[in-house]
Amino acid sequence: MTFIKSVQLTFIASSLSKQCKNIIKFNKNPSKNLFQLAIDGPAASGKSSTARIAAQRLKFEYIDSGAMYRAVTLAALRQNLSPLSLDDASKISQLAATSHIFIHTIFNPPPIAHTSSSKPSLPQTLVYLNGDDVTHDIRSPEITKNISGIASNPDVRRVLVEKQRAFANGIYDYEGDKLNTIRKSSKGVVMDGRDVGTVVLPNADLKIFVTAPARIRAIRRFKELQQSSTNKSLIDFNKVLEDLEKRDKNDYERKISPLKKADDAILLDTRDMSVMEQADKIIELVLERAKEKNIDL
C-alpha cells in the first residue's frame, strides 16, 4: 500500500470513528428493492474476498456477518467474559444487544464489465465497535480461538441475525445523514457468512455456497498468515490445517444455525479458481438471476 493511500485510509477511518461516536439506534428508513446476494461457506474458502470484490464491481453494499461475531467476541473478552462459560452467556448476549457495530467497506469501483486480468485492488472493510476502530483487533488469533463460543450462543445469534437482516434491508445501526450517504446502496447487498442463505436471508435473490477441500483452504490461510506475520517461522502449516478442520467441525456440527448449503444455493467449488475468477463467476450468476427476475442492475 502506498503512503498516500495509507494516509487516505487513515483519514477516512478517523472521520468515520468520530461520526460513529454518535451512534444511538437503528435508522428506521429501509431502502427498497435491494438485490440480496447471500454467500456462505467454510473458513478460508475465499468467500469474503470474493464477496467484497463482487460488491465493488456490482456497486452493492457489502456486509461481513462474521466480523459482527468477531466484534462481539472482542467486546466479551474486553470485559473478561468467557465465551464458553454458561454463567457468562446471558451477559454476552446482552452485550451483543447493546453494542453498536458499524461495518464500512472502502471501494474504488471499476465498471461492471471490468475483467479479472486488470487485477483491481481489494476493497478494505473497516469495523467499528461502539465507535472504536477494531478492524485489526478482531482478526487476532485470540479472537479466532474464542469466536466459536460466541457463534454457538443462541441469544447472541438471535440478536445479530436481527441486525444482519436490518442491514440487508438498508437499515443501519447509526443515525446521521453523512453515514447514510456513505452506506446507502440503491442496487443491492452482498452478505457472506456461515448461515446467511439458510437463516439470515432465506429469501435472498441469489444464494451461493463457496467451498474447497480443507487442505486447499489451509494452504490459503497459511499464505495469508505468512504475509501478515513479522516472524514467518512461527507459523506451522500443520497447526493451521488442524485449527481449520476443528473450526469446520464446530461450524458443521453446532446445534444452532450449523453451516450447510441451502437447498436452493448454487455450489461453487473454488479449489482451482483464483479470487478474481470466483468474483467473475459470481457476478455472472448475479446478472443471470437479475435478468430472470427483471431486476435492473
Side-chain angles (χ1 to χ4, degrees):
M1 183 182 294
T2 65
F3 173 76
I4 293 177
K5 285 184 177 179
S6 178
V7 171
Q8 289 174 334
L9 291 178
T10 300
F11 173 78
I12 292 171
S14 176
S15 175
L16 285 170
S17 183
K18 290 178 181 177
Q19 295 177 42
C20 285
K21 294 292 186 181
N22 297 320
I23 290 174
I24 299 175
K25 57 184 179 181
F26 280 108
N27 178 339
K28 295 298 184 181
N29 299 311
S31 300
K32 295 181 179 180
N33 302 319
L34 291 179
F35 186 101
Q36 293 182 346
L37 168 59
I39 301 178
D40 288 314
S45 58
K47 64 183 180 300
S48 295
S49 296
T50 302
R52 290 200 300 272
I53 295 170
Q56 171 177 264
R57 290 168 55 190
L58 290 163
K59 297 184 180 179
F60 281 11
E61 182 60 55
Y62 168 67
I63 301 169
D64 182 351
S65 68
M68 298 177 71
Y69 286 96
R70 287 179 173 271
V72 173
T73 305
L74 177 63
L77 294 180
R78 283 180 171 179
Q79 294 198 16
N80 296 316
L81 298 174
S82 171
L84 297 176
S85 170
L86 293 178
D87 293 335
D88 289 343
S90 62
K91 294 178 182 178
I92 293 174
S93 63
Q94 180 63 24
L95 192 61
T98 56
S99 294
H100 297 283
I101 302 170
F102 175 72
I103 301 174
H104 173 60
T105 299
I106 300 173
F107 292 137
N108 183 22
I112 194 170
H114 204 80
T115 62
S116 59
S117 59
S118 297
K119 295 182 180 179
S121 58
L122 290 176
Q124 181 183 11
T125 299
L126 304 175
V127 182
Y128 295 85
L129 176 64
N130 298 324
D132 294 328
D133 184 354
V134 296
T135 304
H136 299 293
D137 295 343
I138 65 170
R139 301 298 172 183
S140 72
E142 186 69 10
I143 298 300
T144 300
K145 184 174 73 173
N146 285 280
I147 192 173
S148 291
I150 297 295
S152 61
N153 183 320
D155 291 327
V156 169
R157 297 201 73 86
R158 193 174 299 113
V159 168
L160 293 188
V161 165
E162 180 183 352
K163 291 188 178 186
Q164 289 158 6
R165 286 174 178 163
F167 292 166
N169 285 290
I171 305 172
Y172 306 119
D173 195 4
Y174 64 83
E175 286 189 343
D177 293 338
K178 291 184 179 179
L179 286 180
N180 190 56
T181 300
I182 292 171
R183 290 295 307 275
K184 192 172 182 180
S185 170
S186 60
K187 290 189 173 185
V189 61
V190 180
M191 185 184 298
D192 75 296
R194 301 291 198 278
D195 63 347
V196 180
T198 54
V199 176
V200 184
L201 302 177
N203 298 315
D205 296 288
L206 177 64
K207 302 174 187 177
I208 298 174
F209 192 89
V210 180
T211 189
R215 191 169 188 82
I216 298 294
R217 291 185 285 117
I219 291 173
R220 294 172 180 171
R221 178 59 55 81
F222 178 72
K223 290 179 178 179
E224 288 176 0
L225 293 172
Q226 282 197 316
Q227 289 175 355
S228 61
S229 175
T230 56
N231 192 341
K232 295 180 175 56
S233 63
L234 294 178
I235 303 171
D236 179 70
F237 173 76
N238 290 328
K239 183 64 167 60
V240 173
L241 177 59
E242 180 185 341
D243 289 345
L244 190 68
E245 290 176 334
K246 182 178 179 181
R247 181 71 190 276
D248 283 352
K249 181 177 174 62
N250 289 335
D251 286 339
Y252 279 110
E253 296 181 2
R254 68 187 181 209
K255 295 180 179 180
I256 307 298
S257 300
L259 169 64
K260 65 178 181 179
K261 175 182 171 294
D263 292 338
D264 55 347
I266 296 174
L267 181 67
L268 183 63
D269 190 326
T270 66
R271 73 182 72 196
D272 296 319
M273 301 175 73
S274 69
V275 171
M276 293 309 300
E277 287 171 336
Q278 294 174 45
D280 286 341
K281 182 60 179 180
I282 287 175
I283 290 171
E284 177 187 327
L285 293 170
V286 168
L287 296 180
E288 288 178 357
R289 183 60 52 86
K291 185 176 181 180
E292 292 172 3
K293 304 185 79 168
N294 294 318
I295 299 174
D296 183 15
L297 297 180

